[in-house]
């Protein structure tokens, strides 16, 4: 059967009724031979935007993808839908590579996945010259740009595609790029003549919560217990040592947690990643080395135990939760020490001054997000030039943070930095404000200055809260040259002069870590009718058997969302089964029977009970 109509492909291969958002427009444009730059949030269906043109256009589509694991995943999923795709990569033997090349030359494949390194090998480019090419798709395209947050030199080399294969259309896709990064990608990949498709950035199914770090392990443990006792998730830590420590700590608690960082032997890394991808209740504790291109749709939560580098990184990392559109959580605990560490990294790198300046700005925006008293989603979307109403699905919307008029406090704090020469850190400044009597203050003669002891209305913790927000709103900034001594910024000087009203979040008392109102974000929580949850579990277990027998991740069989629909509608005929999202002809053939059996068994059991 050859299908060239995009909609029939969507329905018959993927099992979905209709295109979403700009998908149809993008697909038409690319099938017609146009170049495209696509910026859509994770989980919105970018893959289809190149996979369907790949099937419709004559010739093979070359898909540039950064990770072997990601390629294998996509190919496994495509194979389930009877789509002809393969990869060429370093994990394959020469014989396997030769066989795949032969298939490509013979026109037997719709898609070939390769890494940028492979693609750019002169020998491989020579091979492509002999093939009929339908399309180049560049996934994770932000890696092309130095302004992006994950620049990869190999990706930059992709600019040669435009010159070398001018007649082959190119589509570049990413989920995160701010305005300068977008422009850079379009220029580097020669897409200026093509079209740019930017869709809303919102990930409405993700709940955001950002809170101060107090006892991080306990905080995270409570979060998991409350919200995700039986789900898969990712926990990000800053260092390898912390990764190991947290993973071990969770394992002691009986959790199936695995570490992932660049210091592990490659086999162990691969094994832990495989275990996570295939498992349904596995937590991976990782440094940021983990996650690029992780396509697991049922990651239900992402935890940050430290702040990431910037908002793009945060959005991309948290974006790995809930790709299937079901309710998911992003939870971060942070402290001011994180910011100091990130600053050190920026200053210590050998990036050009201009790039360091940009990185500092980006870090500042992230701190602003952490300290905001308004809707987190609004701050996130504004950052990407998008907007929304207060979302009702983040911690600041759930419970508006208490604020107070901090105008006078801020003046005192900034003056204190000024009077002490802008070279001391937070702890010392607080000691001065509180009028502490100690040797250091004695030595510097700071008991005699006008700000000594003028801050006794606040506790130490309250002052820490105030200083944090002064730094987050860029009124004060730690000086890297001077051991983090707080300096007054231009904005801070203007503040002292004009004395505007300044509102701040009140300090959270350690004891007040009360439960947030919502219950666990479980996929099956939409199943409220009696017995439906049990049917969901039965279907899930049938899927588990199928996945194990084929040695593929469970979601490659069908997504959680499909299980939820099956449990809800209980289709008992082939036609009804085809109406379920995610079940097309191929999957019906393969899995219709076991799912049908589970449903029938369940309905009979219910019937028996009511007899
Ligand atoms: P992205 O690459 O943008 O993160 P994917 O391409 O992985 O997103 O798609 C996310 C999920 O949405 C997948 O499960 C995919 O099958 C599903 N999906 C994509 N397009 C549609 C559609 N038109 N209707 C229903 N589901 C879709
Ligand atoms: Zn909100």
């Amino acid at each position: 059967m050859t299908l060239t109509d995009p909609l029939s492909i969507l329905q018959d291969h993927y099992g979905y009724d209709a295109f979403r958002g700009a998908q149809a427009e993008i697909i038409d444009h690319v099938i017609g031979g146009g170049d495209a730059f696509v910026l859509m949030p994770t989980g919105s269906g970018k893959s289809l935007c190149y996979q369907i043109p790949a099937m419709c256009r004559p010739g093979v589509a070359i898909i540039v993808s950064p990770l072997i694991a990601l390629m294998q995943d996509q190919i496994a999923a495509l194979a389930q839908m009877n789509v002809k795709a393969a990869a060429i990569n370093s994990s394959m033997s020469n014989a396997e590579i030769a066989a795949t090349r032969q298939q490509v030359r013979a026109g037997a494949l719709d898609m070939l996945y390769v890494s940028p390194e492979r693609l750019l090998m002169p020998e491989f480019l020579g091979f492509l010259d002999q093939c009929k090419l339908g399309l180049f798709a560049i996934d994770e395209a932000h890696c092309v740009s130095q302004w992006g947050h994950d620049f990869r030199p190999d990706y930059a080399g992709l600019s040669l595609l435009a010159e070398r294969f001018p007649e082959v259309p190119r589509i570049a896709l990413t989920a995160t790029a701010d305005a300068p990064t977008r422009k850079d990608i379009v220029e580097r990949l020669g897409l200026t003549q093509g079209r740019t498709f930017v869709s809303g950035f919102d990930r409405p199914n993700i709940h955001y919560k950002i809170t101060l770090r107090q006892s991080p392990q306990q905080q995270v443990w409570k979060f998991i217990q409350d919200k995700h006792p039986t789900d898969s998730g990712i926990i990000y830590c800053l260092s390898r040592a912390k990764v190991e420590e947290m993973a071990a700590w969770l394992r002691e608690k009986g959790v199936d947690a695995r570490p992932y960082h660049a210091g592990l032997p490659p086999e162990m890394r691969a094994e832990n990643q495989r275990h996570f991808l295939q498992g349904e209740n596995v937590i991976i504790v990782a440094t940021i080395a983990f996650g690029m291109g992780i396509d697991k749709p049922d990651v239900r939560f992402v935890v940050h135990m430290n702040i990431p580098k910037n908002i793009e990184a945060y959005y991309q990392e948290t974006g790995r939760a809930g790709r299937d559109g079901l309710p998911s959580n992003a939870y971060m605990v942070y402290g001011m020490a994180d910011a100091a560490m990130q600053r050190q990294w920026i200053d210590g790198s050998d990036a050009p001054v201009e790039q360091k300046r940009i990185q500092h700005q980006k870090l500042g925006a992230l701190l602003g997000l952490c300290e905001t008293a308004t809707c987190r989603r609004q701050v996130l979307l504004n950052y990407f030039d998008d907007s929304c109403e207060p979302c009702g699905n983040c911690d600041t919307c759930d419970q508006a943070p208490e604020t107070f008029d901090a105008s006078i406090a801020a003046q005192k704090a900034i003056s204190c930095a000024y009077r002490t020469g802008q070279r001391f850190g937070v702890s010392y400044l607080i000691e001065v404000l509180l009028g502490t009597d100690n040797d250091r203050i004695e030595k510097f003669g700071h008991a005699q200055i006008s700000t000594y002891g003028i801050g006794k209305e606040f506790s130490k913790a309250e002052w820490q809260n105030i200083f944090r927000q002064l730094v987050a709103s860029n009124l004060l900034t730690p000086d890297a040259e001077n051991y983090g001594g707080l300096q007054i910024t231009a904005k801070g000087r203007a503040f002292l002069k004009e004395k505007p009203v300044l509102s701040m979040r009140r300090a959270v008392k350690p004891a007040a870590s009360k439960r947030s109102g919502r219950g666990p974000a479980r996929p099956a929580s939409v199943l409220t009718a009696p017995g439906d949850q049990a049917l969901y579990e039965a279907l899930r277990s049938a899927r588990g058997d199928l996945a194990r027998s084929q040695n593929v991740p469970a979601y490659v069989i069908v997504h959680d969302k499909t299980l939820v629909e099956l449990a809800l509608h209980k289709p008992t005929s082939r036609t009804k089964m085809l109406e379920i999202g995610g079940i097309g002809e191929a999957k019906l053939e393969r899995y219709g029977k076991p799912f049908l059996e589970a449903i029938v068994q369940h309905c009979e059991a219910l019937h028996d009970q009511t007899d």
Side-chain angles (χ1 to χ4, degrees):
M1 177 172 51
T2 52
L3 289 167
T4 47
D5 165 31
L7 189 60
S8 338
I9 294 183
L10 181 76
Q11 291 168 343
D12 295 352
H13 283 277
Y14 293 85
Y16 299 133
D17 298 335
F19 286 113
R20 288 200 301 222
Q23 279 178 333
E25 212 182 333
I26 298 168
I27 290 170
D28 276 348
H29 175 73
V30 175
I31 292 178
D35 296 329
F37 172 58
V38 174
L39 183 61
M40 297 196 331
T42 311
S44 57
K46 280 188 294 301
S47 326
L48 263 64
C49 296
Y50 60 81
Q51 289 173 349
I52 292 185
M55 288 184 250
C56 292
R57 283 182 60 84
V60 64
I62 306 298
I63 321 290
V64 184
S65 171
L67 276 189
I68 295 177
L70 167 62
M71 298 176 192
Q72 282 162 347
D73 237 52
Q74 294 247 4
I75 291 165
L78 288 165
Q80 296 285 330
M81 302 186 286
N82 296 342
V83 176
K84 294 164 290 175
I88 289 189
N89 61 48
S90 55
S91 75
M92 297 161 63
S93 70
N94 286 342
E96 285 170 326
I97 292 180
T100 306
R101 281 189 175 201
Q102 188 45 42
Q103 282 185 300
V104 174
R105 264 196 296 262
L109 292 179
D110 281 325
M111 284 169 241
L112 180 69
Y113 283 76
V114 293
S115 66
E117 298 87 325
R118 165 85 42 179
L119 175 60
L120 295 173
M121 287 177 186
E123 191 268 340
F124 193 81
L125 289 168
F127 161 68
L128 290 185
D129 286 333
Q130 308 158 27
C131 304
K132 182 159 175 47
L133 302 178
L135 175 70
F136 284 107
I138 296 121
D139 207 1
E140 309 285 356
H142 56 273
C143 297
V144 168
S145 171
Q146 295 203 35
W147 305 132
H149 64 286
D150 198 7
F151 173 58
R152 298 188 165 206
D154 282 313
Y155 260 80
L158 295 174
S159 42
L160 72 73
L161 294 179
E163 292 155 36
R164 177 135 183 177
F165 305 97
E167 72 293 356
V168 183
R170 295 175 302 284
I171 175 172
L173 311 98
T174 175
T176 92
D178 61 4
T181 311
R182 294 174 207 175
K183 187 161 167 281
D184 199 29
I185 297 172
V186 167
E187 281 166 9
R188 280 174 187 264
L189 293 178
L191 304 172
T192 41
Q193 305 295 313
R195 284 185 59 184
T196 289
F197 299 86
V198 178
S199 65
F201 263 85
D202 195 12
R203 298 288 311 281
N205 59 316
I206 299 183
H207 179 276
Y208 298 96
K209 180 174 166 102
I210 301 178
T211 187
L212 218 50
R213 192 164 56 229
Q214 288 157 346
S215 47
Q217 291 182 338
Q218 295 296 344
Q219 283 172 293
V220 171
W221 177 241
K222 186 168 185 317
F223 162 79
I224 294 171
Q225 293 272 288
D226 278 0
K227 309 268 182 187
H228 299 287
T230 60
D231 294 327
S232 290
I234 305 173
I235 298 178
Y236 284 112
C237 304
L238 217 48
S239 67
R240 296 172 186 184
K242 287 280 177 219
V243 164
E244 293 288 354
E245 186 189 317
M246 186 67 184
W249 190 79
L250 286 172
R251 272 201 306 278
E252 266 172 36
K253 298 219 163 247
V255 176
D256 188 359
R258 302 277 180 110
Y260 189 103
H261 57 72
L264 291 174
E267 318 78 61
M268 188 191 258
R269 263 206 326 258
E271 165 55 21
N272 288 353
Q273 171 162 332
R274 192 199 57 75
H275 183 71
F276 173 69
L277 289 176
Q278 304 217 342
E280 293 184 63
N281 186 6
V282 182
I283 294 179
I284 199 114
V285 187
T287 56
I288 48 164
F290 179 80
M292 167 69 126
I294 290 302
D295 248 339
K296 187 176 168 64
D298 57 353
V299 175
R300 291 269 73 84
F301 65 92
V302 170
V303 168
H304 281 90
M305 302 202 52
N306 305 89
I307 59 169
K309 279 192 296 193
N310 50 44
I311 290 185
E312 281 114 312
Y314 175 72
Y315 212 56
Q316 190 179 43
E317 284 151 23
T318 55
R320 290 174 184 138
R323 294 175 81 107
D324 54 11
L326 295 170
S328 306
N329 278 296
Y331 178 59
M332 167 156 59
V333 293
Y334 80 104
M336 234 27 205
D338 299 349
M341 179 114 73
Q342 295 282 2
R343 280 201 186 84
Q344 266 173 14
W345 275 343
I346 298 173
D347 290 318
S349 81
D350 34 329
V353 178
E354 172 61 10
Q355 201 160 343
K356 285 187 183 174
R357 196 181 57 78
I358 291 177
Q359 286 171 356
H360 277 296
Q361 264 174 13
K362 289 189 174 193
L363 176 60
L366 179 78
L367 294 176
L369 168 71
C370 295
E371 294 290 343
T372 188
T374 61
C375 170
R376 306 269 187 211
R377 196 175 309 270
Q378 284 186 319
V379 176
L380 285 168
L381 294 184
N382 282 340
Y383 183 81
F384 294 110
D385 292 331
D386 197 356
S387 61
C388 71
E389 294 298 305
C391 73
N393 194 26
C394 72
D395 58 343
T396 49
C397 282
D398 292 344
Q399 185 169 44
E402 224 183 295
T403 56
F404 69 105
D405 181 349
S407 317
I408 304 290
Q411 288 166 27
K412 289 180 180 175
I414 301 174
S415 309
C416 189
Y418 178 74
R419 300 273 166 211
T420 51
Q422 305 186 53
R423 55 205 174 94
F424 292 93
V426 176
S427 313
Y428 185 80
L429 294 177
I430 294 177
E431 285 171 359
V432 174
L433 284 164
L434 291 177
T436 312
D437 186 9
N438 69 25
D439 290 353
R440 234 172 134 214
I441 291 181
E442 188 66 28
K443 178 177 136 203
F444 290 113
H446 287 154
Q448 279 72 50
I449 61 175
S450 60
T451 52
Y452 182 74
I454 59 164
K456 290 182 179 159
E457 69 274 37
F458 294 115
S459 68
K460 186 173 167 198
E462 286 167 327
W463 275 117
Q464 278 168 338
N465 173 54
I466 292 166
F467 275 102
R468 240 189 17 258
Q469 294 184 67
L470 288 172
V471 172
S473 44
N474 196 31
L475 295 172
L476 291 176
T477 185
D479 177 8
E481 309 275 271
N482 199 359
Y483 307 104
L486 288 181
Q487 288 195 322
I488 305 170
T489 62
K491 200 172 155 197
R493 283 192 292 276
F495 176 84
L496 273 191
K497 231 162 74 214
E498 293 154 19
K499 304 191 169 53
V501 175
L502 181 67
S503 155
M504 279 190 185
R505 289 177 73 130
R506 229 180 241 299
V508 192
K509 295 190 185 65
S513 67
K514 54 177 168 308
R515 279 184 76 121
S516 73
R518 287 163 191 262
R522 303 272 302 124
S525 59
V526 293
L527 299 171
T528 47
D532 282 5
Q533 296 261 0
L535 174 55
Y536 176 83
E537 290 307 328
L539 289 163
R540 184 162 138 145
S541 132
R543 176 182 67 174
D545 294 343
L546 292 166
R548 269 185 298 278
S549 70
Q550 295 184 48
N551 197 25
V552 293
Y555 59 81
V556 164
I557 306 293
V558 292
H559 284 185
D560 289 355
K561 203 169 184 165
T562 301
L563 294 186
V564 169
E565 279 191 42
L566 285 170
L568 200 61
H569 301 298
K570 309 177 190 59
T572 46
S573 70
R574 289 175 60 92
T575 344
K576 287 269 177 247
M577 193 79 106
L578 277 174
E579 285 169 12
I580 300 292
I583 299 197
E585 291 286 351
K587 296 223 170 147
L588 180 68
E589 251 359 282
R590 282 162 201 250
Y591 312 123
K593 199 151 160 267
F595 288 145
L596 213 63
E597 273 167 9
I599 293 169
V600 170
Q601 233 172 40
H602 173 80
C603 292
E604 281 172 355
L606 266 191
H607 196 71
D608 288 349
Q609 279 170 19
T610 49
D611 270 353

